[in-house]
Amino acid sequence: MRTTARAITTAALAAIVLGITAPSQAAPAPVSAGAGATAAAATATASTSTVGGSITRTEMINRAQYWVDQGVPYSQQASYRDQQGRLYRTDCSGLVSMAWHLPTSATTWTLPNYSTKLASLDDLQPGDALNNINAHVVLFAGWTDSSRTVANIIEHARPGTDARRSTYTRSYITSNGFKPYRYNKVADTPVTVPDKGMTNVTAVGDLTGDGVADVIAVETATGDLYRYSGPAFTGGTARVKIGYGWSAISDIVGVGDVTGDGVADVIAVDASNGNLYRYSGPNYNGATKVQIGTNWDAMTNIVGAGDLTGDGVPDLLAVEKATGDLYRYSGPSYSGGSRVKIGTGWNIYSTIVGTGDLTGDGIAEIIAVETETGKLYRYSGPNYNGATRVQIGTGWDAMTNITGVGDITGDGTPDLLAVNASTQKLYRYSGPSFAGGSAVEIGTNW
């Protein structure tokens, strides 16, 4: 959580550390039809194409980006829906088939039946494909430079990874046998590659000393890291650039203060090597970077969960991609030796988020979005087993960058931030049920 390109935190969960608790409650009711309008509306993303018909380049890129936003995992046996509900196989050629709105999930061998081979890589335009029919196919999203030496691509790479954006150098493309193809029914209108705004939106607690939780986020277009001040998290003076080069990071997690200096820290996974790093606040610059682990690219939905073991140090939860098993890691180093398996079957969720204490028992809850249905569930700690699962919402597959931020409304109950993937609008949801009726739009271009 991705997320994703998806943000998961404990600083929000710092509800525990900050002493924020919610009143006791009965099981919350599911979101009503009216209350869920904000989330539900995003699932009806406009589509101008029909199955097997003409399609614009902009729509092809948007369709592929939808799977990236949803954190769809790679599988040659599974299928996942497009924005209109049609199922496609979740491998490399299935993603391109979905992006082109084909009537079926083609293979690398059969995609040329729907397309025409181009004369040169220089002819590529967003929405075209780079296909090695014996190995792999990706969707071309544009060149990063005027000399056309590095390509932006969208792909489903291999088992254990999610649909993602990446880059291929021109030399890699040619040396690995990729050929350029263009869908036969593309509408050659100018493409508008979507500005995906911010990613890895992560609550980190109060960095500015005003008593209100702040968030950090990476600007997708530049890789720059920004701090946003609560409670509104608007641009202008609330937004401060504090770093650059963060596009190489796949996951950022707020963990509260693990170094004992009174300032919240974050941990981050480097997408290129799977290493886990700790950065110290308040600016999280490179000088504070300390490697504390390896092979964290094998994990997904990494979540800060506050202190679950009673040792006074925040813990982490993470799902193993290969098995779907849920593990707890103890701070401050989150080493493999501290890991304890506490659940199974967690690969059914696209997003897992720490929220703080929602039930008044003094232990942090987590919420999870079910990939197939978009339903939102609450789990109670410290072990988050199935017996504690309560459905509290629907239509949450329309949202991305879901982040717990503690209590920013002053009602004593933790709140939630979430971005509508279709509109890039930022919403605040009030706990403990985060019903659609509590959604308040507080930002745009996220």
Side-chain angles (χ1 to χ4, degrees):
M1 201 275 243
R2 246 341 341 248
T3 93
T4 27
R6 269 171 335 250
I8 323 167
T9 86
T10 60
L13 286 175
I16 294 181
V17 179
L18 298 174
I20 298 171
T21 58
S24 299
Q25 61 172 52
V31 179
S32 68
T38 299
T43 60
T45 301
S47 173
T48 58
S49 67
T50 57
V51 176
S54 178
I55 185 171
T56 66
R57 296 186 179 281
T58 296
E59 188 177 346
M60 288 190 287
I61 297 296
N62 278 328
R63 287 173 63 83
Q65 183 66 43
Y66 177 69
W67 274 17
V68 175
D69 290 340
Q70 297 304 307
V72 178
Y74 180 101
S75 172
Q76 292 184 325
Q77 287 74 49
S79 297
Y80 194 79
R81 62 190 180 280
D82 65 5
Q83 290 150 302
Q84 290 73 47
R86 189 176 187 84
L87 294 175
Y88 291 89
R89 191 178 59 252
T90 54
D91 59 9
C92 64
S93 51
L95 183 146
V96 174
S97 301
M98 185 274 295
W100 287 357
H101 213 165
L102 298 184
T104 188
S105 296
T107 67
T108 54
W109 279 89
T110 59
L111 278 171
N113 297 336
Y114 299 92
S115 57
T116 300
K117 188 177 178 182
L118 303 176
S120 167
L121 295 179
D122 292 327
D123 295 328
L124 282 166
Q125 295 185 52
D128 294 338
L130 288 165
N131 191 5
N132 176 338
I133 62 173
N134 294 310
H136 189 44
V137 62
V138 304
L139 194 74
F140 176 79
W143 296 105
T144 65
D145 54 339
S146 59
S147 57
R148 300 175 181 173
T149 58
V150 180
N152 285 314
I153 59 98
I154 303 175
E155 67 173 348
H156 245 144
R158 60 185 180 276
T161 64
D162 298 339
R164 66 188 184 187
R165 280 183 174 265
S166 187
T167 56
Y168 282 1
T169 63
R170 192 180 184 107
S171 60
Y172 179 87
I173 293 168
T174 55
S175 64
N176 283 274
F178 287 97
K179 305 298 181 184
Y181 287 85
R182 176 164 300 157
Y183 180 44
N184 290 333
K185 295 185 179 180
V186 64
D188 267 317
T189 54
V191 65
T192 302
V193 178
D195 171 15
K196 293 312 294 180
M198 312 303 291
T199 188
N200 271 320
V201 180
T202 307
V204 289
D206 178 19
L207 298 176
T208 58
D210 62 357
V212 182
D214 305 304
V215 302
I216 59 174
V218 178
E219 189 173 60
T220 305
T222 64
D224 293 339
L225 182 69
Y226 287 87
R227 184 190 72 227
Y228 290 81
S229 296
F233 310 106
T234 57
T237 57
R239 168 172 149 140
V240 178
K241 180 177 174 179
I242 59 174
Y244 59 90
W246 284 74
S247 55
I249 300 299
S250 60
D251 295 276
I252 303 174
V253 184
V255 289
D257 178 21
V258 295
T259 58
D261 63 358
V263 183
D265 306 300
V266 300
I267 61 171
V269 179
D270 189 314
S272 65
N273 55 30
N275 290 340
L276 184 70
Y277 295 93
R278 185 190 71 230
Y279 291 80
S280 296
N283 291 323
Y284 310 111
N285 58 54
T288 69
K289 173 178 169 180
V290 177
Q291 182 180 335
I292 59 174
T294 58
N295 300 319
W296 278 78
D297 50 351
M299 310 303 290
T300 189
N301 276 324
I302 306 169
V303 181
D307 178 19
L308 299 175
T309 57
D311 62 359
V313 182
D315 303 305
L316 283 182
L317 303 177
V319 177
E320 190 172 58
K321 292 179 181 178
T323 64
D325 293 339
L326 180 69
Y327 288 89
R328 185 190 70 227
Y329 291 79
S330 296
S333 62
Y334 310 109
S335 65
S338 73
R339 116 172 178 165
V340 177
K341 180 178 172 180
I342 60 173
T344 59
W346 283 79
N347 50 357
I348 67 171
Y349 295 111
S350 61
T351 303
I352 302 173
V353 180
T355 59
D357 180 18
L358 298 174
T359 59
D361 62 358
I363 302 175
E365 271 74 49
I366 61 176
I367 58 173
V369 179
E370 192 172 55
T371 303
E372 189 61 33
T373 65
K375 292 177 180 178
L376 184 69
Y377 291 92
R378 186 193 72 221
Y379 285 81
S380 295
N383 290 322
Y384 308 106
N385 59 54
T388 69
R389 178 172 119 155
V390 177
Q391 182 184 332
I392 59 174
T394 59
W396 280 81
D397 50 351
M399 310 305 286
T400 187
N401 278 320
I402 306 171
T403 307
V405 288
D407 176 23
I408 57 176
T409 59
D411 63 357
T413 306
D415 303 304
L416 201 65
L417 300 181
V419 177
N420 185 300
S422 176
T423 66
Q424 294 179 247
K425 291 181 178 179
L426 178 69
Y427 291 88
R428 183 191 72 228
Y429 290 80
S430 296
S433 63
F434 311 115
S438 72
V440 176
E441 180 185 331
I442 59 174
T444 58
N445 298 320
W446 280 77

